[in-house]
Amino acid sequence: MTHEQDDPVWAAAWTWVQREFDRTAFDANDRMALAHWRAEHPAHERAYRQAHHLWSLAGNIPARTQDPDRSG
């Protein structure tokens, strides 16, 4: 196992990114919950940004009009 797999914050961030971009329905409640999670601790925000960046590098983000770096 890698360090990332052992890190619960990283695992949560990766799950949020997958939920955000893999599912057809990521509604306002989900966006609010994600924003809350990101704001809970600086480590959450860092892990989310890293996971989002990795996802982006993999080319899995569909075109969106909303800036993914903005919470809310």
Side-chain angles (χ1 to χ4, degrees):
M1 268 194 184
T2 66
H3 172 70
E4 289 84 5
Q5 291 171 323
D6 294 334
D7 181 357
V9 173
W10 169 258
W14 188 248
T15 298
W16 275 115
V17 169
Q18 288 178 316
R19 286 183 60 201
E20 187 176 16
F21 293 107
D22 276 351
R23 300 194 180 191
T24 56
F26 193 78
D27 63 17
N29 289 332
D30 295 322
R31 285 189 295 278
M32 191 169 17
L34 172 57
H36 176 75
W37 181 82
R38 290 172 69 181
E40 280 181 341
H41 195 279
H44 292 185
E45 180 64 21
R46 280 191 304 273
Y48 173 81
R49 286 180 179 268
Q50 290 171 347
H52 191 278
H53 182 71
L54 181 60
W55 190 272
S56 179
L57 289 174
N60 290 320
I61 297 179
R64 292 175 52 148
T65 57
Q66 181 181 355
D67 181 0
D69 287 338
R70 292 182 55 179
S71 57

